[in-house]
C-alpha cells in the first residue's frame, strides 16, 4: 500500500530560494491542501546579491503566474540580452555571449559550421553580425522573440537583471496570499527521528515549533539541515574554479542601462556590472589564494568609482553537496552548492531544484528512489554549469597574472575535455538533451575564448565554399536589415 500523501511542508530560509520555493509550491500544491510554512531570521538576513538571470527565468515566472509588467516594476528589472566578456583574451578584448540563436530561423546548428568553414578559408567574418540578439544589444534597443519559428525575430532571446531582494519580497506577498505561513526567528533546535533519520520539527529561539512531513533547506551556504543535520558532504571544485570570495557594492543607476551584463577579467578573478533601474550592481569575484581581500576591495573601488553603500565581502567554496535530497530534506539554492555568477546560473539552479521537486514530489515515506533520481539529475546539472564556467577560466589568452596562469595549466574536467576535443576536431558541439547551455552559447563562448575548430560538418560540402560565403552574406544582410527595422520602430 502507498504511504500517505504529504500534508505539510516547512521551508527553512527566506532568501530568493526560500520565497521562490514557497511561491511555486503554494501554486502547485494548492489543490492538495498541503500546509506550507516558511521560517526565516531577519537577524541572520540573506546573502543579498544575485541580480542577473538567463532566459529560463520565463518558465518559472509563468509557473507561478507572475505578470511581466508587474514583475519589472516591482523588482527594478531591466532587459538582459546577454553577457559581454571583457579582457578574457587580454586587455582590450571583448566578446558577446548572446541569448537567442545565430543566423536565420532553423539555422542554429549549421551556422557555426558555415562560419568555421569561412574562417578556415581565410575570411575574417565577425561573429557578432550573425546574431540579431547581439546586434540589438550593441544598438541598445530591446526586442523580443515573436515566437514564430519562420521569423528572424524568433532567434531573439532575453532574460532580466533584477533586484533579488525585491523579487523575494514580491514572491513573499504572492506566497502569503496563497496561504504560506511565515515564522520569524532563528532555528535553534532540530528534532530528528532516531530510527528513520527524518527531520520532525524545527523550533525557533522564540519557542515556535514547526513540524512537517517534508523540509526544504533554503538556509544558504551553510546548509543547516542538509549538511548540519543530514551530513550530505561537499564536492569541492576549487581546483578548477579558484575564486572563493567576492566584494559586492552598488553604484548610482545608469541614465540608459545597457541591455547586458558585463564580466571583466581582472588580476585574480573578474568583475561583474549589472544595470538595474534604480542602481548598478557591481562586484569582484576573486581568489583569496592570489589576492588578499583588501587589495581586491581597492581594485573594485578603483574600477567602479564611488559606491552608494559600503562594499560587502562574501566568502564561498565552489562545488556541490554530494546529495541534495536525503530522507525528508531537500536542499534548494545556496544550501545545495554554489557556482560563481559568471554565467548567472544560481537562480536558474533554484528553478530546476523546484522543478525536479515538483516532478518527483514524494509521499510521506520519501521513497529513496525518488531522492536518488533527484540527486542524479542535480549532479549532472551542476557539472554542466561547472564545465561551462571552467571553459572561460581555462582558455584565456594575454592574461599572465598568476591566477590565470594556474587556470591555463590546470587539467580540464573529463566531460569538458570531451566537448572541447569534438569542437576543435570537427566544429561539433556535443550537447545532451538536458544540457542547459545550447549550441549558440557554447559556440559564442568557445569562439570568444579563442578556440578555433579545424574542421566543419562535411554535410556542408554539398555546397561550394563560394556558395557558403554567399549564404553567409545573405544571412548577415538579413540580420542587419531586421536590426535596422527594429531600431527604426523603437
Ligand atoms: C557574490 C555572489 C553573486 C551572485 N550573483 C548572482 C547572479 O548574478 N545571478 C544569480 O542567479 N545568482 C547569483 N548569486 C546567487 C544568489 O545570490 C543565490 O542563489 C540566491 O540569492 C539564493 O540564496 P539562498 O536563498 O539560497 O540563500 P540566502 O540568501 O543566504 O538565504 C538564506 C536564508 O536562510 C535563513 N536562515 C539561515 N539560517 C537560519 C536559521 N538558523 N534560522 C532561521 N533562518 C535561517 C536566512 O535568514 C535567510 O533567509 C550570487 C551569489 C554570490 C555569493
Amino acid at each position: 500500500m502507498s504511504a500517505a500523501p504529504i500534508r505539510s511542508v516547512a521551508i527553512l530560509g527566506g532568501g530568493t530560494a526560500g520565497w521562490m520555493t514557497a511561491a511555486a509550491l503554494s501554486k502547485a500544491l494548492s489543490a492538495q491542501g498541503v500546509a506550507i510554512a516558511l521560517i526565516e531570521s531577519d537577524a541572520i538576513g540573506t546573502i543579498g546579491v544575485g541580480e542577473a538571470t538567463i532566459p529560463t527565468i520565463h518558465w518559472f515566472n509563468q509557473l507561478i503566474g507572475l505578470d511581466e509588467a508587474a514583475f519589472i516594476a516591482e523588482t527594478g528589472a531591466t532587459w538582459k540580452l546577454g553577457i559581454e566578456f571583457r579582457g578574457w583574451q587580454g586587455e582590450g578584448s571583448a566578446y558577446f555571449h548572446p541569448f537567442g540563436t545565430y543566423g536565420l530561423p532553423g539555422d542554429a546548428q549549421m551556422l557555426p559550421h558555415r562560419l568555421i568553414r569561412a574562417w578556415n578559408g581565410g575570411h575574417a567574418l565577425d561573429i557578432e553580425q550573425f546574431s540579431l540578439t547581439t546586434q540589438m544589444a550593441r544598438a541598445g534597443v530591446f526586442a523580443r522573440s515573436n515566437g514564430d519559428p519562420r521569423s528572424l525575430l524568433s532567434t531573439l532571446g532575453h532574460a532580466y537583471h533584477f533586484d533579488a531582494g525585491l523579487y523575494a519580497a514580491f514572491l513573499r506577498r504572492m506566497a502569503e496570499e496563497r496561504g504560506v505561513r511565515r515564522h520569524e526567528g532563528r532555528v535553534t533546535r532540530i528534532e530528528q527521528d532516531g530510527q528513520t533519520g527524518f527531520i520532525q520539527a524545527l523550533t525557533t529561539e522564540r519557542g515556535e515549533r514547526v513540524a512537517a512531513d517534508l523540509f526544504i533547506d533554503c538556509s544558504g551556504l551553510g546548509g543547516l539541515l542538509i549538511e548540519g543535520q543530514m551530513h550530505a558532504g561537499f564536492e569541492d571544485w576549487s581546483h578548477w574554479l579558484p575564486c572563493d570570495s567576492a566584494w559586492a557594492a552598488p553604484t548610482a543607476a545608469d541614465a540608459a542601462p545597457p541591455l547586458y551584463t558585463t564580466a571583466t577579467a581582472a588580476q585574480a578573478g573578474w568583475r561583474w556590472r549589472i544595470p538595474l533601474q534604480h542602481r548598478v550592481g557591481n562586484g569582484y569575484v576573486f581568489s583569496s589564494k592570489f589576492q588578499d581581500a583588501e587589495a581586491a576591495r581597492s581594485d573594485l573601488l578603483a574600477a567602479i568609482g564611488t559606491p552608494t553603500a559600503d562594499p560587502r565581502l562574501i566568502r564561498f567554496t565552489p562545488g556541490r553537496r554530494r546529495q541534495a535530497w536525503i530522507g525528508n530534506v531537500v536542499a534548494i539554492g545556496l544550501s545545495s552548492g554554489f557556482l560563481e555568477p559568471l554565467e548567472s546560473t544560481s537562480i536558474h539552479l533554484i528553478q530546476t531544484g523546484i522543478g525536479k521537486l515538483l516532478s518527483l514530489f514524494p509521499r510521506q515515506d520519501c521513497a529513496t528512489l525518488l531522492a536518488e533520481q533527484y540527486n542524479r539529475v542535480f549532479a549532472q546539472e551542476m557539472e554542466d554549469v561547472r564545465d561551462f564556467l571552467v571553459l572561460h577560466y581555462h582558455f584565456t589568452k594575454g592574461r599572465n597574472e598568476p591566477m590565470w596562469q594556474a587556470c591555463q595549466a590546470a587539467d580540464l574536467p573529463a566531460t569538458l575535455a570531451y566537448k572541447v576535443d569534438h569542437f576543435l576536431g570537427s566544429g561539433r558541439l556535443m550537447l545532451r538533451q538536458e544540457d542547459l547551455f545550447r549550441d549558440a552559447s557554447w559556440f559564442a563562448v568557445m569562439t570568444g575564448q579563442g578556440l578555433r575548430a579545424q574542421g566543419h560538418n562535411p554535410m556542408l560540402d554539398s555546397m561550394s565554399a563560394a556558395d557558403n560565403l554567399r549564404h553567409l552574406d545573405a544571412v548577415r544582410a538579413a540580420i542587419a536589415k531586421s536590426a535596422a527595422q527594429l531600431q527604426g520602430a523603437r
Side-chain angles (χ1 to χ4, degrees):
M1 210 176 91
S2 301
I6 296 277
R7 288 273 156 242
S8 52
V9 177
I11 300 166
L12 173 59
T16 315
W19 285 113
M20 284 175 75
T21 306
L25 293 193
S26 59
K27 178 95 191 311
L29 302 177
S30 59
Q32 279 94 323
V34 176
I36 302 172
L38 183 146
I39 309 165
E40 66 174 317
S41 159
D42 287 340
I44 295 174
T46 65
I47 194 124
V49 279
E51 298 156 332
T53 59
I54 55 175
T56 55
I57 187 75
H58 300 304
W59 77 251
F60 183 78
N61 284 351
Q62 274 160 18
L63 173 83
I64 59 170
L66 209 143
D67 171 69
E68 188 185 61
F71 156 75
I72 288 175
E74 293 275 348
T75 65
T78 56
W79 306 115
K80 176 178 174 187
L81 296 180
I83 305 174
E84 185 182 50
F85 290 91
R86 293 188 184 161
W88 294 74
Q89 294 291 292
E91 288 306 323
S93 67
Y95 73 91
F96 199 77
H97 168 194
F99 299 147
T101 55
Y102 284 96
L104 302 177
D107 210 12
Q109 283 180 343
M110 231 23 183
L111 194 101
H113 292 278
R114 294 187 191 285
L115 280 173
I116 290 165
R117 187 177 182 189
W119 290 332
N120 286 341
H123 303 276
L125 301 181
D126 177 1
I127 188 173
E128 292 202 357
Q129 294 178 343
F130 295 87
S131 155
L132 181 58
T133 308
T134 309
Q135 294 301 300
M136 300 318 295
R138 294 293 186 210
V141 176
F142 175 69
R144 67 166 82 225
S145 167
N146 61 2
D148 175 356
R150 292 159 308 175
S151 160
L152 191 47
L153 296 191
S154 69
T155 66
L156 289 164
H158 78 276
Y160 313 95
H161 307 113
F162 60 69
D163 185 317
L166 295 178
Y167 186 54
F170 187 40
L171 298 184
R172 173 179 165 184
R173 286 199 296 282
M174 191 178 239
E176 286 185 323
E177 275 162 22
R178 291 181 188 148
V180 173
R181 185 136 182 251
R182 175 180 182 269
H183 301 263
E184 157 60 32
R186 180 191 293 261
V187 167
T188 48
R189 179 153 181 259
I190 301 168
E191 289 166 52
Q192 196 169 10
D193 187 293
Q195 274 191 331
T196 62
F198 279 22
I199 304 281
Q200 293 171 312
L202 308 177
T203 305
T204 68
E205 60 200 345
R206 298 173 172 196
E208 269 189 291
R209 182 175 179 277
V210 179
D213 299 327
L214 180 68
F215 289 82
I216 316 297
D217 185 353
C218 298
S219 65
L221 290 168
L224 190 68
L225 302 182
I226 197 72
E227 192 59 57
Q229 208 67 25
M230 309 305 270
H231 311 296
F234 194 80
E235 201 170 297
D236 184 335
W237 290 335
S238 305
H239 48 294
W240 287 306
L241 296 168
C243 291
D244 57 3
S245 313
W247 283 104
T251 48
D254 292 326
L259 299 173
Y260 50 86
T261 302
T262 311
T264 305
Q267 183 188 324
W270 60 278
R271 292 190 308 275
W272 77 78
R273 187 176 197 281
I274 301 176
L276 307 179
Q277 288 178 41
H278 52 297
R279 63 176 164 81
V280 174
N282 306 277
Y284 178 22
V285 174
F286 66 99
S287 168
S288 64
K289 255 192 275 165
F290 292 93
Q291 191 173 32
D292 72 51
E294 271 320 298
R297 185 178 188 276
S298 303
D299 279 4
L300 175 67
L301 292 176
I304 66 173
T306 311
T308 49
D310 284 341
R312 282 194 317 114
L313 181 64
I314 301 156
R315 304 275 192 190
F316 55 83
T317 306
R320 68 168 176 89
R321 298 271 175 237
R322 291 191 191 283
Q323 297 174 85
W325 179 342
I326 302 176
N328 68 339
V329 175
V330 181
I332 293 180
L334 297 175
S335 60
S336 67
F338 180 63
L339 286 163
E340 59 184 78
L342 186 57
E343 285 283 355
S344 320
T345 42
S346 287
I347 288 173
H348 165 82
L349 290 166
I350 295 172
Q351 295 169 211
T352 59
I354 295 168
K356 288 194 295 290
L357 175 61
L358 289 176
S359 73
L360 296 169
F361 201 74
R363 291 175 173 274
Q364 283 187 18
D365 60 351
C366 291
T368 48
L369 212 50
L370 295 175
E372 188 183 320
Q373 174 65 11
Y374 186 100
N375 289 328
R376 202 181 277 240
V377 179
F378 165 73
Q380 194 83 67
E381 287 169 346
M382 290 292 282
E383 281 162 23
D384 284 349
V385 174
R386 175 201 67 196
D387 285 1
F388 197 49
L389 301 189
V390 175
L391 174 69
H392 301 63
Y393 272 85
H394 184 83
F395 291 100
T396 52
K397 278 202 201 80
R399 298 232 62 104
N400 300 320
E401 299 94 336
M403 190 203 77
W404 293 109
Q405 284 183 344
C407 292
Q408 288 153 12
D411 287 343
L412 292 180
T415 39
L416 175 59
Y418 183 76
K419 280 194 169 88
V420 168
D421 286 348
H422 268 291
F423 181 72
L424 289 178
S426 68
R428 286 190 173 84
L429 298 159
M430 285 300 166
L431 306 182
R432 289 166 308 118
Q433 199 68 31
E434 317 77 69
D435 280 357
L436 166 61
F437 290 102
R438 309 306 310 169
D439 298 67
S441 294
W442 280 91
F443 185 57
V445 175
M446 283 177 155
T447 304
Q449 295 289 144
L451 297 185
R452 290 289 170 266
Q454 285 157 17
H456 58 267
N457 188 330
M459 303 293 276
L460 254 192
D461 293 341
S462 58
M463 167 187 272
S464 71
D467 281 348
N468 184 48
L469 279 177
R470 268 191 285 281
H471 179 92
L472 286 169
D473 273 347
V475 171
R476 186 170 46 190
I479 289 174
K481 185 173 165 203
S482 183
Q485 280 168 349
L486 289 166
Q487 288 171 58
R490 187 184 182 188

